Every structure is written in structure tokens, then in C-alpha cells.
Amino acid sequence: MLQFMNLTKALSDENRVRILLALSAREELCVCHLNELFALAPSTVSKHLFLLKNARLVVARKDGRWMYYRLNNGEGAPGFVVAALDWIVKTISDDSVIREDRDRLEKILSAPMPAICGRH
């Protein structure tokens, strides 16, 4: 029951769902790219990522001073998480807000990483 409640809580916020869909477009993203994409305070993005990680929807890895996140839909991921992520991507990945996010993300990723991540 607790896993289900964590999952539904994580999916109850538009920004968290948008983060999941941004991650679905790439293998992984640095937190600084997400900060730039959503123009939110780093602490806000961190809180969103904490809730997504707590719900087991994302996994993280640290590389030097940068933290990277990816969807938790690979081998060993819980079935309910894989099913939820699949449902989200299939259901709203064609939404106009999500398409705009993808376009902005491509522009952000085309800039050198220090130019983006050095600001956050």
C-alpha cells in the first residue's frame, strides 16, 4: 500500500510528470538541465526528484559534482513502476506542453554543459 501511495503522490503534480516525460526523451539528464528546463529553483527541482525517487520512478547517479537521473524502467525495476511509466508516456507524451518541453530541452542540451550547469 505504501508503494502505491508514494507513486500516486509523485504523479499528483504536473511538474513531476513533466520531469518524467523529459527523462523519457533521453537516457538520463543532469539536474542542472532540469533546473534550466523548468525554470524552477534548484531546491524545488530537488524536492520533486526526491519524491520521484521515493516512489521508485527514477534512479540517480553522481558523477563528480553533477547528479544525473533516469527513469527506473530497466532490468530489475518493479513491475508497477514500469507499468506506470509506460502508461504516462503513452498517455500524454503528445501533449502540447510536453512537446514544448522536448523542444526546449533540445536547445538546452545543445549548449555546452558548463554553460548550463555552471549557473546552478
Side-chain angles (χ1 to χ4, degrees):
M1 181 61 95
L2 180 59
Q3 290 178 338
F4 176 78
M5 297 312 297
N6 286 339
L7 180 73
T8 57
K9 179 179 181 178
L11 297 178
S12 69
D13 181 89
E14 178 182 346
N15 286 318
R16 289 192 288 272
V17 172
R18 289 172 67 195
I19 288 170
L20 291 173
L21 286 157
L23 291 170
S24 77
R26 306 299 275 188
E27 187 172 321
E28 66 179 6
L29 290 171
C30 181
V31 172
C32 59
H33 291 130
L34 296 170
N35 290 336
E36 187 74 16
L37 176 62
F38 297 109
L40 297 170
S43 60
T44 302
V45 173
S46 290
K47 175 70 174 178
H48 286 312
L49 289 167
F50 170 81
L51 291 169
L52 292 170
K53 189 174 178 186
N54 192 44
R56 301 173 71 186
L57 291 164
V58 299
V59 291
R61 74 172 180 90
K62 188 170 176 106
D63 185 11
R65 60 186 276 209
W66 312 120
M67 191 66 133
Y68 292 87
Y69 284 84
R70 65 177 170 80
L71 296 181
N72 187 20
N73 57 359
E75 187 176 321
F80 73 95
V81 168
V82 174
L85 291 170
D86 186 51
W87 173 70
I88 293 162
V89 170
K90 285 181 180 176
T91 304
I92 61 170
S93 63
D94 212 25
D95 182 84
S96 63
V97 171
I98 303 307
R99 285 194 311 265
E100 289 171 16
D101 286 350
R102 275 194 304 261
D103 292 343
R104 264 194 327 278
L105 181 60
E106 290 306 314
K107 290 177 186 168
I108 291 166
L109 292 172
S110 69
M113 190 162 173
I116 300 297
C117 296
R119 292 187 278 197
H120 300 283

